[in-house]
Amino acid sequence: MPVAYGDESFREHLEQGFYVLASVVFDAPILDDAREMLLALRGKHRKLHWYEMEEVEQQRVVKQLADLDGMHVVVIGSPVPMQKQERARAKCLTQLVLDLHGLGVDSLVLEARTAELNRRDVLTAAAARRSLLPKDGWFRVEHCPGAVEPMLWAADVVAGACRAARLGRPEHREMLADQVYDIDIDTDC
């Protein structure tokens, strides 16, 4: 079974906030090529990070990512008022578990945050598995430091491109066109 790698981006705002939880999935033969490509693009940085890249770098990375045969599932939840991003994340993660499982993915690696926040993610995924997946359904969430796993960088890039599109800069998201499956949800925040 393929493994998904995920990262987030969000915008808290009283009326126009949203949360982007992006995942990338590559078939096993492409996974090593994707990692090598991301490591080569990293340059002198510890890891690739959307907000640390100049526009030219963002375009180059998105172009390289678009050239790889991958599938990227992105859940965008809104609204996200101030101080509600964790609630929005939980709603997005629940939806992501359901959709990834439906596509034959049973494991998601997320960029590690604090131990408590990582625990929340695991509990959210376990609750989604119990309540939304078939009785014999299985799904696991793990966490990994961002600098260790290049596939998390790809998820960060997809999340950044989707966030930028939401804010009126769609050119990077458009480069990923057919590889991104967007799901919009209401966070009830």
Side-chain angles (χ1 to χ4, degrees), residues 33-67:
D33 292 340
R35 280 191 179 104
E36 286 178 29
M37 180 268 298
L38 291 161
L39 285 166
L41 290 170
R42 172 182 64 175
K44 64 182 185 237
H45 302 288
R46 189 173 65 93
K47 66 178 188 173
L48 282 178
H49 193 265
W50 183 259
Y51 292 106
E52 294 174 359
M53 288 186 260
E54 299 290 330
E55 171 67 26
V56 172
E57 291 175 292
Q58 289 174 343
Q59 184 152 344
R60 185 175 69 238
V61 172
V62 170
K63 170 76 171 91
Q64 294 279 341
L65 201 55
D67 287 344

Side-chain angles (χ1 to χ4, degrees), residues 131-151:
S131 65
L132 299 174
L133 301 185
K135 291 208 183 281
D136 62 345
W138 189 79
F139 198 92
R140 177 182 64 177
V141 169
E142 299 176 48
H143 293 85
C144 178
V148 173
E149 176 53 71
M151 298 316 303

Side-chain angles (χ1 to χ4, degrees), residues 118-163:
N118 292 347
R119 188 178 73 76
R120 283 187 196 176
D121 286 345
V122 170
L123 292 174
T124 297
R129 184 186 73 239
R130 284 190 307 276
S131 65
L132 299 174
L133 301 185
K135 291 208 183 281
D136 62 345
W138 189 79
F139 198 92
R140 177 182 64 177
V141 169
E142 299 176 48
H143 293 85
C144 178
V148 173
E149 176 53 71
M151 298 316 303
L152 294 171
W153 311 344
D156 177 75
V157 168
V158 172
C162 290
R163 182 182 193 275

Side-chain angles (χ1 to χ4, degrees), residues 18 39 42 44 46 49 51 58 63 78 83 94-95 107 109 117 120 133 144-145 171 173-174 185:
F18 57 90
L39 285 166
R42 172 182 64 175
K44 64 182 185 237
R46 189 173 65 93
H49 193 265
Y51 292 106
Q58 289 174 343
K63 170 76 171 91
S78 61
Q83 314 249 333
T94 297
Q95 185 67 47
S107 186
V109 178
L117 294 177
R120 283 187 196 176
L133 301 185
C144 178
E171 58 275 3
R173 166 64 183 83
E174 289 169 356
I185 65 166

